[in-house]
Amino acid sequence: MRSLLSSRPLGLLFLAGWLLAAPPLWAGLEDSATLDATPPGSLGGFPLTNLVDNVDTSEWISDLTVGVGGGASVTFTWASPVAIGQVSIFWTSPYMPREYTVDTWDGSQWVTHFHVTDTPAAAAYANHAYGFPASTTALRINIVQSHEANYPRFGEVNILTASEVPPLTDLMDLPVTLESSTDPTNFQGKTLVLDNDVNTDWVSGLSVGVGGPATFTVTFPYAVKFSIVRIYWGFYPPEEFQVETWDEGASDWVVHDHITTAPPADDWTEHQDYYYAYHGDGNTMSGPDFPVETTKLRVNILVSSPDNFPRFSELEVLPDPTKVPAELSDFTLE
Ligand SMILES: [Ca+2]
Ligand SMILES: [Ca+2]
Ligand SMILES: [Ca+2]
């Protein structure tokens, strides 16, 4: 099975795609916070202050009593309320946690804004933006389960204030929930469609077979309106797929676009071997425009590439057709 996946330059993709380019480190709200760990303490030489030294390779490692695969949390507390816009976490060891949440304190309890269970296989950084409350006095990064071969650990945290975060242009930046019909057997993780890297793909579970079907569903934290869906397919565009939204009243999926092997030229752009599909209101969709509001978007791959499994590399869901971001430009594919 693996040899099929590598029939194009994919062997390199698997290696290169994980090395995400991290942004520079900066001074932020983390610098005015008090840091605590639960349980308290840390491994000698890996103190909490390593999380805010603007050196991504210097790590905090939890107290080892939590055990390999165990959980621990780090809390940032402010003397006065702050407006958090974005939390960036730099996981700089190869031991990504298996499950973590990003929470804020509402005065009486922790509220979870992001719940991540689908981390990349190797070191990465994660931006968690939008969806935070107008003000809070504490933020918690809660590692529920660390890597099965290691302890809770990460390298750096930077926290932007809300005023520093640009307006929301891609609804995929909300704290969305991702589901695939081949969960939990995906060959590569679902969050890879959110990393703005066209070299990293979600790949379905392999049991569907080459050319097989799979669905990929996005659930938004509240009902949203969008005008454009842009899917980056990489080397392996499917033979047939549909872009669908969930109709709560009818309890059914609405098909907005049904694409087969020979798509209309307006819907596909080709750069060497690279394709993206663009589905927009008033464009050339085979079905109705996107609804006024919906909570779910589904990419329904009916027949994947004859050479590969259901997979794609990026998904963008754009609310404002006048503010379409530039297409992701790395079409060289490493
Ligand atoms: Ca910093
Ligand atoms: Ca550090
Ligand atoms: Ca990607």
Side-chain angles (χ1 to χ4, degrees), residues 25 47-60 90 92 154-157:
L25 300 163
L48 275 170
T49 50
N50 277 359
L51 291 179
V52 292
D53 62 357
N54 292 335
V55 178
D56 59 2
T57 52
S58 68
E59 291 182 277
W60 166 75
F90 294 74
T92 45
F154 49 107
E156 196 72 13
V157 178

Coordinates of all heavy atoms in Angstrom, one line a residue, residues 25 47-60 90 92 154-157, ligand 2:
L25 N 9.7 34.8 17.1 CA 9.2 34.9 18.5 C 9.1 36.4 18.8 O 9.8 37.2 18.3 CB 10.1 34.1 19.4 CG 10.2 32.7 19.1 CD1 11.4 32.0 19.7 CD2 8.9 31.9 19.5
P47 N 12.7 24.4 33.3 CA 11.7 25.2 34.1 C 10.7 25.9 33.2 O 10.8 26.0 32.0 CB 12.6 26.2 34.8 CG 13.7 26.5 33.8 CD 14.0 25.2 33.2
L48 N 9.6 26.3 33.9 CA 8.5 27.0 33.2 C 9.1 28.3 32.5 O 8.5 28.7 31.5 CB 7.5 27.5 34.3 CG 6.4 26.4 34.6 CD1 5.6 26.9 35.8 CD2 5.5 26.1 33.4
T49 N 10.1 28.9 33.1 CA 10.6 30.1 32.4 C 11.1 29.9 31.0 O 11.2 30.8 30.2 CB 11.7 30.8 33.3 OG1 12.7 29.8 33.6 CG2 11.1 31.4 34.5
N50 N 11.4 28.6 30.7 CA 11.8 28.3 29.3 C 10.7 28.5 28.3 O 11.0 28.6 27.1 CB 12.2 26.8 29.2 CG 13.7 26.6 29.7 OD1 14.3 27.6 30.0 ND2 14.1 25.4 29.7
L51 N 9.5 28.6 28.8 CA 8.3 28.8 27.9 C 8.2 30.3 27.4 O 7.5 30.6 26.4 CB 7.0 28.4 28.5 CG 6.8 26.9 28.8 CD1 5.5 26.7 29.5 CD2 6.9 26.2 27.5
V52 N 8.9 31.2 28.1 CA 8.8 32.6 27.7 C 10.1 33.3 27.5 O 10.3 34.4 27.8 CB 7.9 33.3 28.8 CG1 6.5 32.8 28.8 CG2 8.5 33.1 30.2
D53 N 11.1 32.5 27.1 CA 12.4 33.1 26.9 C 12.7 33.4 25.5 O 13.9 33.8 25.1 CB 13.5 32.1 27.5 CG 13.6 30.8 26.8 OD1 12.7 30.6 25.9 OD2 14.4 30.0 27.1
N54 N 11.7 33.3 24.6 CA 11.8 33.6 23.2 C 12.9 32.7 22.5 O 13.5 33.2 21.5 CB 12.1 35.1 23.0 CG 10.9 35.9 23.3 OD1 9.7 35.4 23.3 ND2 11.1 37.2 23.6
V55 N 13.1 31.6 23.0 CA 14.0 30.6 22.4 C 13.2 29.3 22.2 O 12.8 28.6 23.2 CB 15.2 30.3 23.3 CG1 16.1 29.2 22.6 CG2 16.0 31.6 23.6
D56 N 12.8 29.0 21.0 CA 11.8 27.9 20.8 C 12.4 26.5 21.2 O 11.7 25.6 21.5 CB 11.2 27.9 19.4 CG 12.2 27.8 18.3 OD1 13.4 27.6 18.6 OD2 11.8 27.8 17.1
T57 N 13.7 26.4 21.2 CA 14.3 25.1 21.5 C 14.5 24.9 23.0 O 14.9 23.8 23.4 CB 15.7 24.9 20.7 OG1 16.5 26.1 21.1 CG2 15.4 24.9 19.2
S58 N 14.4 25.9 23.8 CA 14.5 25.6 25.3 C 13.1 25.3 25.8 O 12.1 26.0 25.6 CB 15.0 26.9 26.0 OG 14.1 27.9 25.9
E59 N 13.0 24.1 26.4 CA 11.7 23.5 26.7 C 11.4 23.5 28.2 O 12.3 23.4 29.0 CB 11.6 22.1 26.2 CG 11.5 21.9 24.7 CD 11.4 20.4 24.4 OE1 12.4 19.7 24.4 OE2 10.3 20.0 24.2
W60 N 10.1 23.5 28.5 CA 9.6 23.1 29.8 C 9.2 21.6 29.6 O 8.6 21.2 28.6 CB 8.3 23.9 30.1 CG 7.5 23.3 31.3 CD1 7.8 23.3 32.6 CD2 6.3 22.5 31.2 NE1 6.9 22.6 33.3 CE2 5.9 22.1 32.5 CE3 5.5 22.2 30.1 CZ2 4.8 21.4 32.7 CZ3 4.3 21.4 30.4 CH2 4.0 21.0 31.7
F90 N 4.8 26.5 20.5 CA 5.9 25.9 19.8 C 6.2 24.5 20.4 O 6.7 24.5 21.5 CB 7.1 26.8 19.8 CG 6.8 28.1 19.1 CD1 6.0 29.1 19.6 CD2 7.4 28.4 17.8 CE1 5.7 30.3 18.9 CE2 7.1 29.5 17.1 CZ 6.3 30.5 17.7
T92 N 8.6 21.8 20.2 CA 9.9 21.8 19.5 C 10.6 20.5 19.7 O 11.7 20.2 19.1 CB 10.8 22.9 20.0 OG1 10.7 23.1 21.4 CG2 10.3 24.2 19.3
F154 N 6.9 21.4 26.0 CA 6.9 22.2 24.8 C 7.9 23.3 25.0 O 8.4 23.5 26.1 CB 5.5 22.7 24.4 CG 4.6 23.3 25.4 CD1 4.4 24.7 25.4 CD2 4.0 22.5 26.4 CE1 3.5 25.2 26.4 CE2 3.1 23.1 27.3 CZ 2.9 24.4 27.3
G155 N 8.1 24.1 23.9 CA 9.2 25.0 23.9 C 8.9 26.4 24.1 O 9.8 27.1 24.7
E156 N 7.8 26.9 23.7 CA 7.5 28.4 23.8 C 6.0 28.7 23.7 O 5.3 27.9 23.0 CB 8.3 29.1 22.7 CG 8.5 30.6 22.9 CD 9.5 30.9 24.0 OE1 10.2 30.0 24.5 OE2 9.5 32.1 24.5
V157 N 5.6 29.7 24.3 CA 4.2 30.2 24.1 C 4.3 31.7 23.9 O 5.0 32.4 24.6 CB 3.4 29.9 25.4 CG1 2.0 30.5 25.2 CG2 3.3 28.4 25.7
Ligands
CA2 CA 11.7 28.4 25.1

